[in-house]
């Protein structure tokens, strides 16, 4: 079938993207779903820094590639062996498919699925195939989703079924921002009621971490960002204190507010300087968690004696250490109960042909989550 999609032909275009237009809206040929695959009509897709990091070259991927990984939609057709989804089901996409058989999957850690990671790096679906073509050129898939399109074929292992009364524009956020940000708090850190936290980097993932810390019963949440506007949003979502990272004494401010440091510091900016700050504001015996994705060349120097003598823990968190089929229904339930107001992360809606302008706003840090809404 013919579809319309946003395709990136090469990385490293210079902003403003409204002028350089790295993403081209083109007509592609989409193959029907193969074995254990599903055709989904996309209803809504969010613009995420993980997409931006491919556009600017921070996260190298094979080109050309149809971008987009945070999305929700409606099942239109299922391939062979798909028995638990039918036409009309509502689904959210998860950008790390899990095979269910490798060692991490067997250990209950599907976010670390080895075949899934291999397929994502190669630009294929979990089964190894590519279903997108432009004339004689095969187009790579982005994280098994390629969701900046009106339709996508994805692995069944990239989908979680949703209740049909959940608005699909809101549902899209659960596949990345909420799964990653809330999961870093509740799964990776396992923050307990009464403990303290700080979140550095208040994009969609960072603000989701603020929501996760509120829902987990943190008694103090210090939000840190370069933007006063985002600090105000964080306070409105439940942060007890805010600090602008531009302040030369930002670390000292946080330590003073938290009585020496926080129990958990969450780095969500994807920058080595932000991770350094996160480590500096973590108390003795505390844990520093990072879910940001800096360029592969970024590194961090830690004082090893401090790591040992203060019994510090530094942890990575990928997709919130999630089990999507378990966690997404839980987070949706919290949202419906009014305890996880993820709808307040939405900054506005776009048409697909406005995508480059949307990434300009994301690059400038002026928005949290923009949603591309596709007509029904």
């Amino acid at each position: 079938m013919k579809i319309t999609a946003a395709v990136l032909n090469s990385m490293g275009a210079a902003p403003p993207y409204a002028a350089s237009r790295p993403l081209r809206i083109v007509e592609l040929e989409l193959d029907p779903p193969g074995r254990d695959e599903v055709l989904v009509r996309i209803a809504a897709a969010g613009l995420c820094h993980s997409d931006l990091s491919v556009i600017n070259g921070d996260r190298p991927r094979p080109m050309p590639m149809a971008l987009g990984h945070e999305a929700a939609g409606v099942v239109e057709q299922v391939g062979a062996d798909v028995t638990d989804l039918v036409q009309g089901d509502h689904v959210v996409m998860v950008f790390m498919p899990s095979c269910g058989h490798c060692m991490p999957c067997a250990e209950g850690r599907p976010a670390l699925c080895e075949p899934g990671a291999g397929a994502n790096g190669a630009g294929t679906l979990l089964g190894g195939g590519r279903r997108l073509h432009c004339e004689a050129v095969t187009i790579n898939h982005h994280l098994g989703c390629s969701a900046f399109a009106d339709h996508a074929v994805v692995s069944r292992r990239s989908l979680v079924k949703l209740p049909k009364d959940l608005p699909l524009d809101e549902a899209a956020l659960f596949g990345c921002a909420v799964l990653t940000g809330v999961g870093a708090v509740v799964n990776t850190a396992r923050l307990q009621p009464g403990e303290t936290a700080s979140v550095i980097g208040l994009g969609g993932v960072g603000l989701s971490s603020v929501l996760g810390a509120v829902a987990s019963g943190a008694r103090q949440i210090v939000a840190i960002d370069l933007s006063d506007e985002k600090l105000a949003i964080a306070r409105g979502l439940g942060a007890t204190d805010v600090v602008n990272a531009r302040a030369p004494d930002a670390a000292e401010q946080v330590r003073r507010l938290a009585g020496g440091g926080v129990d958990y510091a969450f780095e969500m900016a994807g920058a080595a300087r932000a991770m350094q700050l996160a480590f500096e504001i973590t108390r003795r015996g505390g844990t520093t968690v990072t879910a940001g994705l800096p360029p592969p060349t970024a590194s961090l120097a830690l004082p090893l004696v401090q790591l040992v003598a203060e019994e510090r823990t530094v942890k990575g968190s990928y997709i919130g250490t999630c089990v999507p089929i378990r966690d997404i229904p839980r987070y949706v339930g919290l949202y419906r109960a009014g305890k996880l107001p993820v709808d307040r992360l939405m900054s506005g809606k776009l048409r697909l042909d406005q995508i480059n302008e949307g990434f300009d706003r994301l690059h400038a840090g002026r928005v949290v989550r923009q949603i591309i809404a596709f007509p029904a």
Side-chain angles (χ1 to χ4, degrees), residues 153-178:
V153 166
V154 301
S155 167
R156 170 64 186 90
R157 308 302 182 107
S158 296
L159 299 172
V160 173
K161 187 176 176 179
L162 295 169
K164 290 186 178 181
D165 58 348
L166 179 68
L168 287 167
D169 56 347
E170 299 170 5
L173 300 177
F174 286 88
C176 177
V178 176

Side-chain angles (χ1 to χ4, degrees), residues 58-299:
D58 284 348
R59 302 291 294 174
R61 297 290 178 186
M63 296 287 115
M65 175 171 279
L67 287 194
H69 69 282
E70 181 185 79
V74 181
V75 172
E76 288 207 342
Q77 183 183 353
V78 299
D81 294 341
V82 178
T83 59
D84 56 346
L85 289 176
V86 298
Q87 184 179 17
D89 281 344
H90 288 196
V91 290
V92 62
M93 293 185 176
V94 177
F95 63 90
M96 173 58 80
S98 53
C99 71
H101 304 294
C102 68
M103 185 60 71
C105 286
E107 293 175 341
R109 306 179 73 185
L112 300 181
C113 176
E114 292 167 347
N120 281 0
T124 71
L125 300 183
L126 182 61
R130 293 177 178 87
R131 305 290 178 237
L132 294 166
H133 312 278
C134 185
E135 297 179 348
V137 178
T138 298
I139 307 297
N140 292 288
H141 296 267
H142 184 216
L143 301 177
C145 299
S146 292
F148 294 150
D150 50 53
H151 289 79
V153 166
V154 301
S155 167
R156 170 64 186 90
R157 308 302 182 107
S158 296
L159 299 172
V160 173
K161 187 176 176 179
L162 295 169
K164 290 186 178 181
D165 58 348
L166 179 68
L168 287 167
D169 56 347
E170 299 170 5
L173 300 177
F174 286 88
C176 177
V178 176
L179 202 58
T180 301
V182 176
V185 175
V186 303
N187 292 331
T188 309
R190 297 185 179 272
L191 187 149
Q192 298 298 304
E195 293 183 315
T196 62
S198 182
V199 180
I200 302 172
L202 302 176
V205 174
L207 288 171
S208 292
S209 292
V210 171
L211 292 176
V214 172
S216 297
R219 63 179 169 85
Q220 184 179 30
I221 303 167
V222 184
I224 304 173
D225 198 273
L226 299 169
S227 165
D228 288 332
E229 290 79 7
K230 289 184 178 178
L231 292 173
I233 294 172
R235 192 180 283 280
L237 292 175
T240 58
D241 303 278
V242 297
V243 172
N244 193 301
R246 296 187 191 276
D249 64 340
E252 178 56 35
Q253 286 187 50
V254 178
R255 288 193 292 264
R256 185 168 60 249
L257 287 166
V262 294
D263 296 312
Y264 297 96
F266 298 93
E267 187 280 309
M268 301 296 179
R273 290 181 62 184
M275 184 60 181
Q276 183 67 48
L277 176 59
F279 188 79
E280 290 175 3
I281 64 176
T282 305
R283 69 166 180 83
R284 294 168 61 88
T287 299
T288 308
V289 176
T290 177
L293 285 171
T297 55
S299 61

